[in-house]
Amino acid sequence: MIRGGIVLRLDMHGVYWRDFGAVVPWHDIARVKFGSLGEESWYEVSLADQRTFRMDVSALSIDSERLSNLFANYLPAAKQEGF
């Protein structure tokens, strides 16, 4: 699992991670799960090829409401957990 806010951008096309050369399209995302413990909160993103990434909410430059809206608009409800 890759942990941390290594996300450059999220938009209507998908998620841009710093260590990837290209966007990860929304249709390649198998599941997004929200988690929290104390003051920490994160989104765990599982891709179709079994890779899993954890995006720390505090390290993202996008506010959590807008991020939740992106997930709600571009991911089917079946792929979202804990929202």
Side-chain angles (χ1 to χ4, degrees):
M1 177 181 294
I2 297 176
R3 178 178 163 80
I6 317 172
V7 175
L8 297 175
R9 191 169 86 239
L10 292 101
D11 63 20
M12 59 188 256
H13 302 291
V15 182
Y16 297 78
W17 270 280
R18 180 173 47 198
D19 297 333
F20 280 67
V23 62
V24 176
W26 291 109
H27 65 266
D28 284 351
I29 296 175
R31 180 176 61 96
V32 174
K33 182 177 182 180
F34 179 78
S36 64
L37 181 62
E39 293 185 16
E40 285 190 42
S41 54
W42 61 85
Y43 292 95
E44 186 175 297
V45 180
S46 299
L47 303 183
D49 65 5
Q50 306 302 315
R51 289 179 293 178
T52 302
F53 302 88
R54 182 175 282 186
M55 301 187 305
D56 292 327
V57 173
S58 63
L60 297 173
S61 59
I62 183 171
D63 63 78
S64 58
E65 183 177 323
R66 184 166 170 231
L67 183 58
S68 292
N69 284 337
L70 278 170
F71 288 147
N73 287 323
Y74 295 106
L75 284 177
K79 293 184 175 185
Q80 302 173 49
E81 295 181 27
F83 283 81

